Every structure is written in structure tokens, then in C-alpha cells.
Coordinates of all heavy atoms in Angstrom, one line a residue:
M1 N -6.5 60.9 -11.6 CA -6.7 59.5 -11.4 C -7.8 59.0 -12.4 O -8.9 59.4 -12.2 CB -7.0 59.2 -10.0 CG -7.2 57.7 -9.8 SD -6.7 57.2 -8.2 CE -8.1 57.2 -7.2
N2 N -7.4 58.1 -13.3 CA -8.4 57.6 -14.2 C -8.7 56.2 -13.9 O -7.8 55.3 -13.7 CB -7.7 57.7 -15.6 CG -8.7 57.4 -16.7 OD1 -9.9 57.0 -16.4 ND2 -8.3 57.6 -18.0
L3 N -10.0 55.8 -13.8 CA -10.4 54.5 -13.3 C -10.2 53.4 -14.4 O -10.1 52.3 -14.1 CB -11.9 54.5 -12.9 CG -12.2 55.4 -11.7 CD1 -13.7 55.4 -11.4 CD2 -11.5 54.8 -10.5
F4 N -10.2 53.8 -15.7 CA -10.1 52.9 -16.8 C -8.6 52.7 -17.3 O -8.4 51.9 -18.2 CB -10.9 53.3 -17.9 CG -12.4 53.4 -17.5 CD1 -13.0 54.6 -17.4 CD2 -13.1 52.2 -17.3 CE1 -14.3 54.7 -17.0 CE2 -14.4 52.3 -16.9 CZ -15.1 53.5 -16.7
E5 N -7.7 53.4 -16.7 CA -6.3 53.3 -17.2 C -5.5 52.4 -16.2 O -5.6 52.6 -15.0 CB -5.7 54.7 -17.2 CG -4.3 54.7 -17.8 CD -3.8 56.2 -17.8 OE1 -4.6 57.1 -18.1 OE2 -2.6 56.3 -17.6
T6 N -4.8 51.5 -16.7 CA -3.9 50.7 -15.8 C -2.5 51.1 -16.0 O -2.1 51.5 -17.1 CB -4.0 49.2 -16.2 OG1 -3.7 49.0 -17.5 CG2 -5.4 48.7 -15.9
T7 N -1.7 51.1 -15.0 CA -0.4 51.5 -15.0 C 0.5 50.3 -14.8 O 0.3 49.5 -13.9 CB -0.1 52.5 -13.9 OG1 -1.1 53.6 -14.0 CG2 1.3 53.1 -14.0
A8 N 1.5 50.1 -15.7 CA 2.5 49.0 -15.5 C 3.7 49.6 -14.9 O 4.2 50.6 -15.3 CB 2.8 48.4 -16.9
Y9 N 4.3 48.8 -14.0 CA 5.5 49.2 -13.3 C 6.6 48.2 -13.7 O 6.3 47.0 -13.7 CB 5.3 49.3 -11.8 CG 4.3 50.3 -11.3 CD1 3.0 50.0 -11.0 CD2 4.7 51.7 -11.3 CE1 2.1 51.0 -10.6 CE2 3.8 52.6 -10.9 CZ 2.5 52.3 -10.6 OH 1.7 53.3 -10.2
A10 N 7.8 48.7 -13.8 CA 8.9 47.8 -14.1 C 9.3 47.1 -12.8 O 9.2 47.6 -11.7 CB 10.0 48.6 -14.6
A11 N 9.7 45.8 -12.9 CA 10.2 45.1 -11.8 C 11.6 45.6 -11.4 O 12.3 46.1 -12.2 CB 10.3 43.6 -12.2
E12 N 11.9 45.4 -10.1 CA 13.2 45.8 -9.6 C 14.2 44.9 -10.1 O 14.1 43.7 -10.3 CB 13.2 45.8 -8.1 CG 12.5 47.0 -7.4 CD 12.8 46.9 -5.9 OE1 13.9 46.6 -5.5 OE2 11.8 47.2 -5.2
A13 N 15.4 45.5 -10.4 CA 16.5 44.7 -10.8 C 17.1 43.9 -9.7 O 17.2 44.4 -8.6 CB 17.5 45.6 -11.5
G14 N 17.6 42.7 -9.9 CA 18.3 41.9 -8.9 C 17.4 41.2 -8.0 O 17.8 40.8 -6.9
G15 N 16.1 40.9 -8.4 CA 15.2 40.2 -7.5 C 15.2 38.7 -7.8 O 14.2 38.0 -7.6
G16 N 16.2 38.1 -8.4 CA 16.3 36.7 -8.8 C 16.5 35.8 -7.6 O 16.4 34.6 -7.8
G17 N 16.9 36.2 -6.5 CA 17.1 35.3 -5.3 C 15.9 34.6 -4.8 O 16.0 33.5 -4.3
A18 N 14.7 35.2 -5.0 CA 13.5 34.5 -4.6 C 13.2 33.3 -5.4 O 12.5 32.4 -4.9 CB 12.3 35.5 -4.6
G19 N 13.6 33.2 -6.6 CA 13.4 32.1 -7.5 C 14.1 30.8 -7.0 O 13.5 29.7 -7.0
Y20 N 15.3 31.0 -6.5 CA 16.0 29.9 -5.9 C 15.4 29.4 -4.6 O 15.3 28.2 -4.3 CB 17.5 30.2 -5.6 CG 18.3 30.5 -6.9 CD1 18.9 31.7 -7.1 CD2 18.4 29.5 -7.9 CE1 19.6 32.0 -8.3 CE2 19.1 29.8 -9.0 CZ 19.7 31.0 -9.2 OH 20.4 31.2 -10.3
L21 N 14.9 30.3 -3.8 CA 14.2 29.9 -2.6 C 12.9 29.1 -2.9 O 12.6 28.1 -2.2 CB 13.9 31.2 -1.8 CG 13.3 30.9 -0.4 CD1 14.3 30.2 0.5 CD2 13.0 32.3 0.3
N22 N 12.2 29.5 -3.9 CA 11.0 28.8 -4.3 C 11.3 27.4 -4.8 O 10.6 26.4 -4.5 CB 10.2 29.5 -5.4 CG 9.5 30.8 -4.9 OD1 9.3 30.9 -3.7 ND2 9.2 31.7 -5.8
L23 N 12.4 27.3 -5.6 CA 12.8 25.9 -6.0 C 13.3 25.1 -4.8 O 13.0 23.9 -4.8 CB 14.0 26.1 -7.0 CG 13.6 26.5 -8.4 CD1 14.9 26.7 -9.3 CD2 12.7 25.5 -9.0
L24 N 13.9 25.7 -3.8 CA 14.3 24.9 -2.6 C 13.1 24.4 -1.9 O 13.1 23.2 -1.5 CB 15.1 25.8 -1.7 CG 15.7 25.2 -0.5 CD1 16.7 24.1 -0.9 CD2 16.4 26.2 0.4
F25 N 12.1 25.2 -1.7 CA 10.8 24.8 -1.1 C 10.1 23.7 -1.9 O 9.7 22.7 -1.3 CB 9.9 26.0 -0.9 CG 10.2 26.8 0.3 CD1 10.4 28.2 0.2 CD2 10.3 26.3 1.6 CE1 10.7 29.0 1.3 CE2 10.6 27.0 2.7 CZ 10.8 28.4 2.5
L26 N 10.1 23.8 -3.2 CA 9.5 22.8 -4.0 C 10.2 21.5 -3.9 O 9.6 20.4 -3.8 CB 9.5 23.3 -5.5 CG 8.9 22.3 -6.5 CD1 7.4 22.1 -6.2 CD2 9.1 22.8 -7.9
G27 N 11.5 21.5 -3.9 CA 12.3 20.3 -3.7 C 12.1 19.7 -2.3 O 12.0 18.5 -2.2
G28 N 12.0 20.5 -1.3 CA 11.7 20.0 0.0 C 10.3 19.3 0.1 O 10.2 18.2 0.7
F29 N 9.3 19.9 -0.6 CA 8.0 19.2 -0.6 C 8.0 17.9 -1.3 O 7.4 16.9 -0.9 CB 7.0 20.2 -1.2 CG 6.5 21.3 -0.3 CD1 6.5 22.6 -0.7 CD2 6.1 21.0 1.0 CE1 6.1 23.6 0.1 CE2 5.7 22.0 1.8 CZ 5.7 23.3 1.4
V30 N 8.8 17.8 -2.4 CA 8.9 16.6 -3.2 C 9.6 15.5 -2.3 O 9.1 14.4 -2.2 CB 9.7 16.8 -4.5 CG1 10.1 15.5 -5.1 CG2 8.9 17.7 -5.4
L31 N 10.6 15.9 -1.6 CA 11.3 14.9 -0.7 C 10.4 14.4 0.4 O 10.3 13.2 0.8 CB 12.6 15.5 -0.1 CG 13.8 15.6 -1.0 CD1 14.9 16.4 -0.4 CD2 14.2 14.2 -1.5
I32 N 9.7 15.4 1.1 CA 8.7 15.0 2.1 C 7.6 14.1 1.6 O 7.3 13.0 2.2 CB 8.1 16.3 2.8 CG1 9.1 17.0 3.6 CG2 6.9 15.9 3.6 CD1 8.7 18.4 4.0
F33 N 7.1 14.4 0.4 CA 6.1 13.6 -0.2 C 6.6 12.2 -0.5 O 5.9 11.2 -0.3 CB 5.6 14.2 -1.5 CG 4.4 13.6 -2.2 CD1 3.2 13.7 -1.7 CD2 4.6 12.8 -3.3 CE1 2.1 13.1 -2.3 CE2 3.5 12.2 -3.9 CZ 2.3 12.4 -3.4
Y34 N 7.8 12.1 -1.0 CA 8.4 10.8 -1.3 C 8.6 9.9 0.0 O 8.2 8.8 0.0 CB 9.8 11.0 -2.0 CG 10.5 9.7 -2.2 CD1 10.2 8.8 -3.2 CD2 11.6 9.3 -1.4 CE1 10.9 7.6 -3.4 CE2 12.3 8.2 -1.6 CZ 11.9 7.3 -2.6 OH 12.6 6.1 -2.8
F35 N 9.2 10.5 1.0 CA 9.5 9.7 2.2 C 8.3 9.4 3.0 O 8.3 8.4 3.8 CB 10.6 10.4 3.1 CG 12.0 10.3 2.5 CD1 12.6 11.3 2.0 CD2 12.6 9.0 2.5 CE1 13.9 11.2 1.4 CE2 13.9 8.9 2.0 CZ 14.5 9.9 1.5
L36 N 7.3 10.2 3.0 CA 6.1 9.9 3.8 C 5.0 9.1 3.1 O 4.2 8.4 3.7 CB 5.5 11.3 4.3 CG 6.3 12.0 5.3 CD1 5.6 13.3 5.7 CD2 6.6 11.2 6.5
L37 N 4.9 9.2 1.7 CA 3.9 8.5 1.0 C 4.3 7.4 0.0 O 3.9 6.3 0.1 CB 3.0 9.5 0.3 CG 2.3 10.5 1.1 CD1 1.6 11.6 0.3 CD2 1.3 9.8 2.0
I38 N 5.2 7.8 -0.8 CA 5.6 6.9 -1.9 C 6.4 5.7 -1.4 O 6.1 4.5 -1.7 CB 6.3 7.6 -3.0 CG1 5.4 8.7 -3.7 CG2 6.8 6.7 -4.1 CD1 6.0 9.6 -4.6
R39 N 7.5 6.0 -0.7 CA 8.4 4.9 -0.2 C 7.7 3.9 0.7 O 7.9 2.7 0.4 CB 9.6 5.6 0.5 CG 10.7 4.6 0.8 CD 11.9 5.4 1.2 NE 13.0 4.5 1.6 CZ 13.5 4.4 2.8 NH1 13.1 5.2 3.7 NH2 14.5 3.6 3.1
P40 N 6.9 4.3 1.7 CA 6.3 3.3 2.5 C 5.3 2.4 1.7 O 5.1 1.2 2.0 CB 5.6 4.1 3.6 CG 6.3 5.4 3.7 CD 6.8 5.6 2.3
Q41 N 4.6 3.0 0.8 CA 3.6 2.3 0.0 C 4.2 1.3 -0.9 O 3.8 0.1 -1.0 CB 2.7 3.3 -0.8 CG 1.7 2.6 -1.6 CD 0.6 2.0 -0.8 OE1 0.3 2.4 0.4 NE2 0.0 0.9 -1.2
S42 N 5.4 1.6 -1.5 CA 6.0 0.6 -2.3 C 6.7 -0.5 -1.5 O 6.7 -1.6 -1.9 CB 7.1 1.3 -3.2 OG 8.1 1.8 -2.4
K43 N 7.1 -0.2 -0.3 CA 7.6 -1.2 0.6 C 6.5 -2.2 1.0 O 6.7 -3.4 1.0 CB 8.2 -0.5 1.9 CG 8.9 -1.5 2.8 CD 9.5 -0.8 4.0 CE 10.1 -1.7 5.0 NZ 10.6 -1.1 6.2
R44 N 5.3 -1.7 1.3 CA 4.2 -2.6 1.7 C 3.8 -3.4 0.5 O 3.5 -4.6 0.6 CB 3.0 -1.7 2.1 CG 3.0 -1.4 3.6 CD 1.7 -0.8 4.0 NE 1.4 0.5 3.3 CZ 1.6 1.7 3.8 NH1 2.2 1.8 5.0 NH2 1.3 2.8 3.1
R45 N 3.8 -2.9 -0.7 CA 3.5 -3.6 -1.9 C 4.5 -4.8 -2.2 O 4.1 -5.9 -2.5 CB 3.4 -2.7 -3.1 CG 3.0 -3.4 -4.4 CD 2.9 -2.4 -5.6 NE 4.0 -1.5 -5.7 CZ 5.2 -1.7 -6.2 NH1 5.5 -2.9 -6.8 NH2 6.2 -0.8 -6.3
K46 N 5.7 -4.5 -2.0 CA 6.8 -5.5 -2.2 C 6.6 -6.6 -1.1 O 6.7 -7.8 -1.4 CB 8.2 -4.9 -2.1 CG 8.6 -4.1 -3.3 CD 9.9 -3.6 -3.1 CE 10.3 -2.7 -4.3 NZ 11.6 -2.0 -4.1
E47 N 6.3 -6.3 0.1 CA 6.1 -7.3 1.2 C 4.9 -8.1 0.9 O 4.9 -9.3 1.1 CB 5.9 -6.6 2.5 CG 7.2 -6.0 3.1 CD 7.0 -5.2 4.4 OE1 5.8 -5.0 4.8 OE2 8.0 -4.7 4.9
H48 N 3.8 -7.5 0.4 CA 2.6 -8.3 0.1 C 2.9 -9.2 -1.1 O 2.4 -10.4 -1.1 CB 1.4 -7.3 -0.2 CG 0.1 -8.1 -0.3 ND1 -0.5 -8.3 -1.5 CD2 -0.7 -8.6 0.6 CE1 -1.6 -8.9 -1.3 NE2 -1.8 -9.1 0.0
Q49 N 3.6 -8.8 -2.1 CA 3.9 -9.7 -3.2 C 4.8 -10.8 -2.8 O 4.6 -12.0 -3.2 CB 4.7 -8.9 -4.3 CG 3.8 -8.0 -5.1 CD 4.5 -7.1 -6.1 OE1 5.7 -7.0 -6.1 NE2 3.8 -6.6 -7.1
A50 N 5.7 -10.6 -1.9 CA 6.5 -11.7 -1.3 C 5.6 -12.7 -0.5 O 5.8 -13.9 -0.6 CB 7.6 -11.1 -0.4
L51 N 4.7 -12.2 0.2 CA 3.7 -13.0 1.0 C 2.9 -13.9 0.0 O 2.8 -15.1 0.2 CB 2.8 -12.1 1.8 CG 1.6 -12.9 2.5 CD1 2.1 -13.4 3.8 CD2 0.5 -11.9 2.6
M52 N 2.4 -13.3 -1.1 CA 1.6 -14.1 -2.0 C 2.5 -15.1 -2.7 O 2.0 -16.2 -3.0 CB 1.0 -13.1 -3.1 CG -0.1 -12.2 -2.6 SD -1.0 -11.3 -3.8 CE 0.3 -10.5 -4.7
A53 N 3.7 -14.8 -3.0 CA 4.6 -15.8 -3.7 C 5.0 -16.9 -2.8 O 5.3 -18.0 -3.2 CB 5.8 -15.1 -4.2
G54 N 5.1 -16.6 -1.5 CA 5.5 -17.6 -0.5 C 4.4 -18.5 0.1 O 4.7 -19.3 1.0
L55 N 3.2 -18.3 -0.3 CA 2.1 -19.1 0.2 C 2.3 -20.6 -0.1 O 2.7 -21.0 -1.2 CB 0.7 -18.7 -0.4 CG 0.2 -17.4 0.2 CD1 -1.1 -17.0 -0.5 CD2 -0.1 -17.5 1.7
A56 N 2.1 -21.5 0.9 CA 2.3 -22.9 0.7 C 1.2 -23.6 1.4 O 0.5 -23.1 2.3 CB 3.6 -23.3 1.2
K57 N 1.0 -24.9 1.0 CA 0.0 -25.7 1.6 C 0.3 -25.9 3.1 O 1.4 -26.1 3.5 CB 0.0 -27.1 1.0 CG -1.1 -28.0 1.5 CD -1.1 -29.4 0.8 CE -2.1 -30.3 1.4 NZ -2.2 -31.6 0.7
G58 N -0.7 -25.7 4.0 CA -0.6 -25.8 5.4 C -0.4 -24.5 6.1 O -0.5 -24.4 7.3
D59 N -0.2 -23.4 5.4 CA -0.1 -22.1 6.0 C -1.4 -21.6 6.6 O -2.5 -21.9 6.0 CB 0.4 -21.0 5.0 CG 1.9 -21.2 4.6 OD1 2.6 -21.9 5.3 OD2 2.3 -20.5 3.6
E60 N -1.4 -21.0 7.7 CA -2.6 -20.5 8.3 C -2.6 -19.0 8.0 O -1.7 -18.3 8.2 CB -2.6 -20.7 9.8 CG -2.6 -22.2 10.2 CD -2.6 -22.4 11.7 OE1 -2.5 -21.5 12.5 OE2 -2.6 -23.6 12.1
V61 N -3.7 -18.6 7.4 CA -3.8 -17.2 6.8 C -5.1 -16.5 7.3 O -6.0 -17.1 7.7 CB -3.8 -17.2 5.3 CG1 -2.5 -17.8 4.8 CG2 -5.0 -18.0 4.7
V62 N -5.0 -15.2 7.2 CA -6.2 -14.4 7.4 C -6.4 -13.5 6.1 O -5.4 -13.0 5.6 CB -6.1 -13.5 8.7 CG1 -5.0 -12.5 8.6 CG2 -7.4 -12.7 8.9
T63 N -7.6 -13.4 5.7 CA -7.9 -12.6 4.4 C -8.2 -11.2 4.8 O -8.4 -10.8 5.9 CB -9.1 -13.3 3.6 OG1 -10.3 -13.1 4.4 CG2 -8.8 -14.7 3.4
A64 N -8.3 -10.4 3.7 CA -8.7 -9.0 3.9 C -10.1 -8.8 4.5 O -10.4 -7.8 5.2 CB -8.6 -8.3 2.5
G65 N -11.0 -9.8 4.3 CA -12.3 -9.8 4.8 C -12.4 -10.3 6.2 O -13.5 -10.3 6.8
G66 N -11.3 -10.8 6.8 CA -11.3 -11.3 8.1 C -11.5 -12.8 8.3 O -11.6 -13.3 9.4
V67 N -11.6 -13.5 7.1 CA -11.7 -15.0 7.2 C -10.4 -15.6 7.5 O -9.4 -15.3 6.9 CB -12.3 -15.5 5.8 CG1 -12.4 -17.0 5.8 CG2 -13.6 -14.9 5.5
V68 N -10.5 -16.6 8.5 CA -9.3 -17.2 9.0 C -9.4 -18.7 8.5 O -10.4 -19.3 8.7 CB -9.1 -17.1 10.5 CG1 -7.9 -17.9 11.0 CG2 -9.1 -15.7 10.9
G69 N -8.3 -19.2 8.0 CA -8.3 -20.6 7.6 C -6.9 -21.1 7.3 O -5.9 -20.4 7.4
Q70 N -6.9 -22.4 6.8 CA -5.6 -23.0 6.4 C -5.6 -23.3 4.9 O -6.5 -23.8 4.4 CB -5.5 -24.3 7.2 CG -4.1 -25.0 7.0 CD -4.0 -26.2 7.9 OE1 -5.0 -26.8 8.4 NE2 -2.8 -26.6 8.2
V71 N -4.4 -23.0 4.3 CA -4.3 -23.2 2.9 C -4.2 -24.7 2.6 O -3.4 -25.4 3.2 CB -3.0 -22.5 2.3 CG1 -2.8 -22.8 0.9 CG2 -3.1 -21.0 2.6
S72 N -5.1 -25.1 1.7 CA -5.1 -26.6 1.4 C -4.6 -26.8 0.0 O -4.2 -27.9 -0.4 CB -6.5 -27.1 1.5 OG -7.4 -26.5 0.6
K73 N -4.6 -25.8 -0.9 CA -4.1 -25.9 -2.3 C -3.7 -24.6 -2.8 O -4.4 -23.6 -2.6 CB -5.2 -26.6 -3.2 CG -4.6 -26.9 -4.6 CD -5.7 -27.6 -5.4 CE -5.2 -27.8 -6.8 NZ -6.2 -28.5 -7.7
V74 N -2.6 -24.5 -3.5 CA -2.1 -23.2 -4.1 C -2.1 -23.4 -5.6 O -1.6 -24.4 -6.1 CB -0.7 -22.9 -3.6 CG1 -0.2 -21.6 -4.3 CG2 -0.6 -22.8 -2.1
E75 N -2.8 -22.5 -6.3 CA -2.9 -22.5 -7.7 C -2.2 -21.2 -8.2 O -1.5 -20.5 -7.4 CB -4.4 -22.5 -8.2 CG -5.1 -23.7 -7.7 CD -6.6 -23.7 -7.9 OE1 -7.1 -22.6 -8.3 OE2 -7.3 -24.7 -7.7
D76 N -2.3 -21.0 -9.5 CA -1.5 -19.8 -10.1 C -2.0 -18.5 -9.4 O -1.2 -17.8 -8.8 CB -1.8 -19.7 -11.6 CG -1.0 -20.8 -12.3 OD1 0.0 -21.4 -11.8 OD2 -1.4 -21.2 -13.4
D77 N -3.2 -18.2 -9.5 CA -3.7 -16.9 -9.0 C -4.7 -17.0 -7.8 O -5.1 -16.1 -7.2 CB -4.4 -16.1 -10.1 CG -3.5 -15.7 -11.2 OD1 -2.3 -15.4 -10.9 OD2 -4.0 -15.5 -12.4
F78 N -5.0 -18.3 -7.5 CA -5.9 -18.6 -6.4 C -5.4 -19.5 -5.4 O -4.4 -20.3 -5.7 CB -7.2 -19.2 -7.0 CG -8.0 -18.2 -7.9 CD1 -7.7 -18.3 -9.3 CD2 -8.9 -17.4 -7.4 CE1 -8.4 -17.4 -10.1 CE2 -9.6 -16.5 -8.3 CZ -9.3 -16.5 -9.6
V79 N -6.0 -19.5 -4.2 CA -5.6 -20.5 -3.2 C -7.0 -21.1 -2.6 O -8.0 -20.4 -2.6 CB -4.8 -19.9 -2.0 CG1 -3.5 -19.5 -2.4 CG2 -5.5 -18.7 -1.4
K80 N -6.9 -22.3 -2.2 CA -8.1 -22.9 -1.6 C -7.8 -22.9 -0.1 O -6.7 -23.3 0.4 CB -8.3 -24.3 -2.0 CG -9.0 -24.4 -3.4 CD -9.4 -25.8 -3.7 CE -10.1 -25.9 -5.0 NZ -10.6 -27.3 -5.3
V81 N -8.7 -22.3 0.7 CA -8.5 -22.1 2.1 C -9.6 -22.9 2.8 O -10.8 -22.8 2.6 CB -8.6 -20.6 2.5 CG1 -8.5 -20.5 4.0 CG2 -7.6 -19.8 1.8
K82 N -9.2 -23.8 3.7 CA -10.1 -24.6 4.5 C -10.5 -23.8 5.7 O -9.6 -23.5 6.6 CB -9.4 -25.9 4.9 CG -10.3 -26.9 5.7 CD -9.6 -28.2 6.0 CE -10.5 -29.1 6.8 NZ -9.9 -30.3 7.1
V83 N -11.8 -23.5 5.8 CA -12.2 -22.6 6.9 C -12.9 -23.5 8.0 O -13.1 -23.0 9.2 CB -13.1 -21.5 6.4 CG1 -12.3 -20.5 5.6 CG2 -14.3 -22.0 5.7
A84 N -13.4 -24.6 7.7 CA -14.1 -25.5 8.6 C -14.0 -26.9 8.1 O -13.5 -27.1 6.9 CB -15.5 -25.1 8.9
A85 N -14.5 -27.9 8.8 CA -14.5 -29.3 8.4 C -15.3 -29.4 7.1 O -16.4 -29.0 7.0 CB -15.0 -30.2 9.4
K86 N -14.7 -29.9 6.0 CA -15.3 -30.1 4.7 C -15.8 -28.8 4.0 O -16.6 -28.9 3.1 CB -16.5 -31.1 4.8 CG -16.1 -32.4 5.3 CD -17.3 -33.3 5.4 CE -16.9 -34.7 5.9 NZ -18.1 -35.6 6.1
I87 N -15.3 -27.7 4.4 CA -15.6 -26.4 3.8 C -14.3 -25.7 3.3 O -13.5 -25.4 4.2 CB -16.4 -25.5 4.7 CG1 -17.7 -26.1 5.1 CG2 -16.7 -24.1 4.1 CD1 -18.5 -25.3 6.1
E88 N -14.2 -25.5 2.0 CA -13.1 -24.8 1.4 C -13.6 -23.7 0.6 O -14.6 -23.8 -0.1 CB -12.3 -25.8 0.5 CG -11.5 -26.8 1.3 CD -10.6 -27.6 0.4 OE1 -10.7 -27.6 -0.8 OE2 -9.8 -28.4 0.9
L89 N -12.8 -22.6 0.7 CA -13.1 -21.4 -0.2 C -12.0 -21.2 -1.1 O -10.8 -21.3 -0.8 CB -13.3 -20.2 0.7 CG -14.4 -20.2 1.8 CD1 -14.2 -18.9 2.6 CD2 -15.7 -20.2 1.2
R90 N -12.4 -20.8 -2.4 CA -11.3 -20.5 -3.3 C -11.2 -18.9 -3.3 O -12.2 -18.2 -3.6 CB -11.7 -21.0 -4.7 CG -10.7 -20.6 -5.8 CD -10.9 -21.2 -7.1 NE -10.7 -22.7 -6.9 CZ -10.9 -23.6 -7.8 NH1 -11.4 -23.2 -9.0 NH2 -10.7 -24.8 -7.6
L91 N -10.0 -18.5 -3.0 CA -9.8 -17.0 -2.9 C -8.7 -16.6 -3.8 O -7.8 -17.4 -4.1 CB -9.4 -16.7 -1.5 CG -10.4 -17.0 -0.4 CD1 -9.8 -16.8 1.0 CD2 -11.7 -16.2 -0.5
Q92 N -8.7 -15.3 -4.2 CA -7.5 -14.8 -5.0 C -6.4 -14.7 -4.0 O -6.6 -14.4 -2.8 CB -7.8 -13.4 -5.5 CG -8.8 -13.5 -6.7 CD -9.0 -12.1 -7.3 OE1 -8.9 -11.1 -6.6 NE2 -9.2 -12.0 -8.5
K93 N -5.2 -14.8 -4.5 CA -4.0 -14.7 -3.6 C -3.9 -13.3 -3.1 O -3.5 -13.1 -1.9 CB -2.7 -15.0 -4.4 CG -2.4 -16.5 -4.6 CD -1.1 -16.7 -5.3 CE -0.7 -18.1 -5.4 NZ 0.6 -18.3 -6.0
S94 N -4.3 -12.3 -3.8 CA -4.2 -10.9 -3.3 C -5.2 -10.7 -2.2 O -5.0 -9.7 -1.5 CB -4.5 -10.0 -4.5 OG -5.8 -10.2 -5.0
A95 N -6.2 -11.5 -1.9 CA -7.1 -11.3 -0.8 C -6.4 -11.8 0.5 O -6.9 -11.4 1.6 CB -8.4 -12.1 -1.0
V96 N -5.4 -12.5 0.5 CA -4.7 -12.9 1.7 C -3.9 -11.8 2.2 O -3.0 -11.2 1.5 CB -3.8 -14.2 1.4 CG1 -3.0 -14.5 2.7 CG2 -4.6 -15.3 0.9
S97 N -4.2 -11.4 3.4 CA -3.5 -10.2 4.0 C -2.4 -10.5 4.9 O -1.4 -9.7 5.0 CB -4.5 -9.3 4.7 OG -5.1 -9.9 5.8
A98 N -2.4 -11.7 5.5 CA -1.3 -12.0 6.5 C -1.3 -13.5 6.7 O -2.3 -14.2 6.6 CB -1.4 -11.3 7.8
T99 N -0.1 -14.0 7.1 CA 0.0 -15.4 7.5 C 0.0 -15.4 9.1 O 0.5 -14.4 9.7 CB 1.2 -16.1 7.0 OG1 2.4 -15.3 7.4 CG2 1.2 -16.2 5.5
L100 N -0.5 -16.4 9.6 CA -0.5 -16.5 11.1 C 0.5 -17.6 11.6 O 0.8 -18.5 10.8 CB -1.9 -17.0 11.5 CG -3.1 -16.0 11.1 CD1 -4.4 -16.7 11.5 CD2 -3.0 -14.7 11.8
P101 N 0.9 -17.5 12.8 CA 1.8 -18.5 13.4 C 1.1 -19.8 13.4 O -0.1 -19.9 13.6 CB 2.2 -18.0 14.8 CG 1.8 -16.5 14.8 CD 0.7 -16.4 13.7
K102 N 1.9 -20.9 13.3 CA 1.4 -22.3 13.3 C 0.7 -22.5 14.7 O 1.2 -22.1 15.7 CB 2.5 -23.3 13.1 CG 3.2 -23.2 11.8 CD 2.3 -23.7 10.7 CE 3.0 -23.7 9.4 NZ 2.2 -24.0 8.2
G103 N -0.5 -23.1 14.6 CA -1.2 -23.4 15.9 C -2.2 -22.4 16.3 O -2.9 -22.5 17.2
T104 N -2.3 -21.3 15.5 CA -3.3 -20.3 15.8 C -4.7 -20.8 15.7 O -5.6 -20.5 16.5 CB -3.1 -19.0 14.9 OG1 -1.7 -18.6 15.1 CG2 -4.0 -17.9 15.3
L105 N -5.0 -21.5 14.6 CA -6.3 -22.0 14.4 C -6.8 -23.0 15.6 O -7.9 -22.9 16.0 CB -6.4 -22.8 13.1 CG -6.3 -21.9 11.9 CD1 -6.3 -22.7 10.6 CD2 -7.4 -20.8 11.8
K106 N -5.9 -23.8 16.1 CA -6.2 -24.7 17.2 C -6.5 -23.9 18.4 O -7.5 -24.2 19.1 CB -5.0 -25.7 17.5 CG -5.0 -26.9 16.6 CD -4.0 -27.9 17.1 CE -4.0 -29.1 16.3 NZ -3.1 -30.1 16.7
S107 N -5.8 -22.9 18.7 CA -6.0 -22.1 19.9 C -7.3 -21.3 19.7 O -8.0 -21.1 20.7 CB -4.9 -21.1 20.1 OG -4.8 -20.1 19.1
L108 N -7.7 -20.9 18.5 CA -9.0 -20.3 18.3 C -10.2 -21.2 18.5 O -11.2 -20.9 19.0 CB -9.1 -19.6 16.9 CG -8.2 -18.4 16.7 CD1 -8.3 -18.0 15.2 CD2 -8.6 -17.3 17.6
D109 N -10.0 -22.5 18.1 CA -11.0 -23.5 18.2 C -11.3 -23.9 19.6 O -12.4 -24.2 20.1 CB -10.7 -24.7 17.3 CG -10.8 -24.5 15.9 OD1 -11.6 -23.5 15.5 OD2 -10.2 -25.2 15.1
E110 N -10.2 -23.9 20.4 CA -10.3 -24.4 21.8 C -10.9 -23.3 22.7 O -11.6 -23.5 23.7 CB -8.9 -24.7 22.4 CG -8.3 -25.9 21.8 CD -6.8 -26.1 22.1 OE1 -6.3 -25.3 22.9 OE2 -6.2 -27.1 21.7
G111 N -10.7 -22.0 22.3 CA -11.1 -20.9 23.2 C -12.5 -20.5 23.0 O -13.6 -20.8 23.1

């Protein structure tokens, strides 16, 4: 037994079946990754783009920062949101995270 000598062994013939199994597992991981991560994220992105495109004057919205108000003017990339009497904020459309049902602001002011 020599410590500095390495011995090479030939691979067994007919061991190609494991390669197909590895490809099957790889394909399974790609499908799982697609259905759990990519597809839901693209669906959320499309819904948010539709929300931004559908903003109109009078909509009650909540921003990503938690500011609640009513849209008073819609511009190309920005919206003006009335948050209190005589106070308007200019926000990017992408900052709007959701629209609220009509009358939500009144119920918040009364409560």
C-alpha cells in the first residue's frame, strides 16, 4: 500500500439510469419553484398594475406607509391624496397599496 499512489477504477457499465432520475428531480424542483414563488408574485404584480391604472378621483385608498385618504387628482405617475381638511399629499401611484370601500373614511372619522 503506497500512500502517494492513487488508483483509478473504471465505472460500471449500464449505470445511466441514475441520470434520468436526477433530471426528474431537477424538473420537479423547477415546477415547485415556479408554482410557489414565480407565479403568485407575477399575479400580485399584475393586480397592483391594474389597481394603479384604475385609480380615479374620489377613490378611498391606503398607501404602503399606512396613510389613508381620498384621491383628489390623478396625474401620470402621481396622485394627490386628501388626508385631512385642506391637506393633500402628492404620492407615487406605486405607493398606493389598496383601495377601500366607499364610506370607510367617514366611519373612521366618526369612531
